[in-house]
Amino acid sequence: MLKFFKRTLLVLLVIIIAGNLFILLTGRQYLYKGIWNTYLKGRSGPSALEYGIFANRRVDNGKPQPWPVGKDYNTKEIPAATLKEITELKTGAFLVISNDSLRYEKYWGEFSDRSYSNSFSMAKTVVSILVGCAIADGHIKSIDQPVHDFLPEYKNGELAKVTIKHLVIMSSAIAFNEDYVNPLAYPAESYYGSNLCDLTMAYQSVRGDPGVLFDYQSGNTQLLGFVLKKATGKTVADYASEKLWIPMGAEKPAFWSLDHENGDEKAFCCLNSNARDFARIGKLYLDSGRWSFPGDPVAKQLVPEDYVLRSVLPTGTCRADKSPCVDYGYSWWMIPEYKGHFIFYARGILGQYIFVIPGMKMVIVRLGEGRLPNGIHGFPEDIPYYLDAALAMYGEGSHGFSRINAD
């Protein structure tokens, strides 16, 4: 028994030494941070509540503009048919806005109306919105402007064909490695690493023509973050504060995680906020880029209407099997038809969602720590739980099937 223990201890020691040598010789010190904050904390991946392990830049809010509260606020309950699944998936927040009023909100565990949750890839949608704002401000000529106008690293060869639109619609053809299991791939290193610029700019090869194939890559949105910084002369967080958080009357400041102190925002993820303020993103696009609450004398156009409308339309790309990509627009996901409704939404890897149902004038936010894989319909299998719950609770007065169009 003692001999077996010694042999096991020796094997573990060799593995630890070999692992450390690999990390040090390859310059992948970010793996230490990743291992410490996952496996050594009993998880195999990130947590939605760990923004404090990173440096962050504040997204300032202005004068808070609380949501109008419906007369029936929290008088209904999540149907039993979906409550079990919703709680088993470690839901932390579930909120429903209907007809511009807060109708329902519930929190579990460490989540509250004041807690900060990572948006994960919902941040990609916010970055797309900021691109629309930058176009309106004249910082970017058009969505078809070449990326190399801002990032000269992309002025040669096939990379010179890549436009801002290609990044927004995930069709740049840049060969990022979007492997969420491999700790050596782009998602892990960009999340736990400390130099997003060098990491992202290192990807200089393409696999096809830009604008043809939908290929979801976090590096595309990170490049958009660099474009926004160069175009506006402001950090992504500061621009988000100016164009969104202040004019939308966010109740709390947000925090955008950085690669290092005073560094670059992780544009592809990591905007940390709460359910009530995330819901404002949904309302903004529900109202075609205009912002107002009941009683406001004039609605403010924060994002160009034509940009908003085209954001939730198919872009003409196709998937690897050559089928048309009909469920992704300008960094918004879409469900063309769900129980008679057109739905568009932002989503993150742990089940962060902002759903917009235009025909019901409804916005739904779900935050949490668990999500199911994509099903046969192309969207995560847990999505119907949240949609069905909200529709069952506040689906009265349906406006019928409705989808936004740009005609």
Side-chain angles (χ1 to χ4, degrees), residues 131-208:
V131 168
C133 295
I135 293 172
D137 287 344
H139 299 306
I140 296 173
K141 295 177 183 177
S142 79
I143 196 168
D144 295 310
Q145 189 170 0
V147 169
H148 64 72
D149 281 0
F150 305 96
L151 306 176
E153 294 88 346
Y154 292 85
K155 67 181 180 181
N156 298 318
E158 293 298 303
L159 289 171
K161 299 178 182 179
V162 178
T163 67
I164 291 171
K165 181 177 180 179
H166 295 147
L167 299 179
V168 172
I169 68 174
M170 297 292 175
S171 69
S172 72
I174 299 173
F176 293 105
N177 182 359
E178 193 77 2
D179 187 334
Y180 293 101
V181 177
N182 184 355
L184 307 182
Y186 184 88
E189 186 165 1
S190 59
Y191 185 73
Y192 290 112
S194 59
N195 194 327
L196 276 170
C197 186
D198 284 357
L199 170 65
T200 306
M201 299 297 181
Y203 288 84
Q204 292 284 308
S205 62
V206 297
R207 44 193 175 207

Side-chain angles (χ1 to χ4, degrees), residues 208-288:
D209 293 325
V212 176
L213 186 68
F214 171 77
D215 190 11
Y216 187 88
Q217 303 284 349
S218 292
N220 288 330
T221 307
Q222 189 56 49
L223 284 175
L224 284 175
F226 296 142
V227 167
L228 282 169
K229 182 179 180 180
K230 194 72 174 286
T232 66
K234 301 174 182 178
T235 66
V236 174
D238 286 348
Y239 199 55
S241 171
E242 174 189 332
K243 308 306 295 186
L244 299 175
W245 244 241
I246 291 175
M248 291 194 307
E251 293 189 36
K252 295 187 64 182
F255 293 92
W256 212 313
S257 296
L258 309 176
D259 56 355
H260 59 269
E261 195 69 38
N262 299 317
D264 288 309
E265 289 86 351
K266 300 175 185 181
F268 65 95
C269 78
C270 310
L271 172 61
N272 299 274
S273 186
N274 59 83
R276 290 185 181 182
D277 286 339
F278 280 135
R280 296 170 195 270
I281 299 297
K283 173 177 162 53
L284 178 64
Y285 266 51
L286 176 64
D287 292 341
S288 300

Side-chain angles (χ1 to χ4, degrees), residues 9 18 51 67 86 210 301:
L9 191 62
Y51 80 101
W67 283 99
I86 286 175
Q301 191 76 47

Side-chain angles (χ1 to χ4, degrees), residues 52-71:
I53 71 172
F54 301 111
N56 292 277
R57 183 168 287 125
R58 182 180 169 114
V59 181
D60 286 319
N61 62 332
K63 181 181 178 181
Q65 193 175 17
W67 283 99
V69 178
K71 292 181 179 179

